[in-house]
Amino acid sequence: QSALTQPRSVSGSPGQSVAISCTGTSRDVGGYNYVSWYQQHPGKAPKLMVYDVNKRPSGVPDRFSGSKSGNTASLTISGLQAEDEADYYCCSYAVTYYVFGTGTKVTVL
Amino acid sequence: EVQLVESGGGLVQPGGSLRLSCAASGFTFSNYWMTWVRQAPGKGLEWVANINEDGSQKYYVDSVKGRFTISRDNAKNSLFLQMNSLRGEDTAVYYCARTEGETAGNYWGQGTLVTVSS
């Protein structure tokens, strides 16, 4: 049940693309196509942005996309906007538990 | 509209107990797994426990096994977390979330703060 590894921070200018990695093991990320990504603004509850590796809930802009290769999942934000500045967490299903990533702060320069 | 409203947080001494509640509305509560997630001050999210639709399956993070109990009352559309033998490291905002498929939370409450301190 060790936390998934994410970079502490990433940054980009408006309009640019940024990618956040999420590294786990074959027991979690690598074992299932059930990685989700959450956006959290300060003082707010998390919001689901991507689920099942690359699916977007209704209402989430298509600027947000997910992928996975082996034990590492990624969230890409294209056409970065000011409102995308937030903390982002990945999460993997592992049958009898879930494990979150360490979190990444996205800064819009 | 799906709504999840947590309550029951507060200040408790180490070794004490607290019972959190989550009132659900806007969906058929008995059709969904439910999950508790916590976030210590300034820290990341941590999955705590989840429970299946009829309460017959329950899973916990290792750090709370034997101390926390998740339960639900489908007649009252409510989720609970009984927390015993509380420690300082349990201090956190506790969120309840509706689980859908293998996604831990597609809807979240606003959270309730639990502070364990003497």
Side-chain angles (χ1 to χ4, degrees), chain A:
Chain A
Q1 296 183 348
S2 298
L4 308 176
T5 301
Q6 298 180 232
R8 199 174 195 92
S9 64
V10 299
S11 61
S13 299
Q16 288 187 330
S17 293
V18 295
I20 303 169
S21 61
C22 169
T23 301
T25 70
S26 59
R27 295 184 299 276
D28 37 63
V29 174
Y32 312 93
N33 288 322
Y34 297 128
V35 176
S36 52
W37 289 90
Y38 300 87
Q39 176 191 68
Q40 187 180 36
H41 287 107
K44 300 295 187 181
K47 175 186 176 183
L48 179 66
M49 305 302 284
V50 168
Y51 67 101
D52 293 356
V53 175
N54 57 14
K55 298 176 183 175
R56 277 186 310 276
S58 174
V60 172
D62 59 7
R63 303 185 291 103
F64 292 86
S65 61
S67 62
K68 193 190 86 168
S69 178
N71 296 338
T72 298
S74 297
L75 175 72
T76 299
I77 309 174
S78 305
L80 202 60
Q81 297 185 6
E83 59 262 35
D84 299 334
E85 184 162 296
D87 293 325
Y88 291 82
Y89 296 90
C90 59
C91 179
S92 177
Y93 166 84
V95 184
T96 59
Y97 64 93
Y98 288 83
V99 58
F100 281 92
T102 49
T104 299
K105 180 173 181 55
V106 171
T107 300
V108 181
L109 301 172

Side-chain angles (χ1 to χ4, degrees), chain B residues 82-94:
Chain B
Q82 177 67 42
M83 304 185 295
N84 299 331
S85 304
L86 283 161
R87 307 166 180 167
E89 54 264 37
D90 297 318
T91 294
V93 173
Y94 285 73

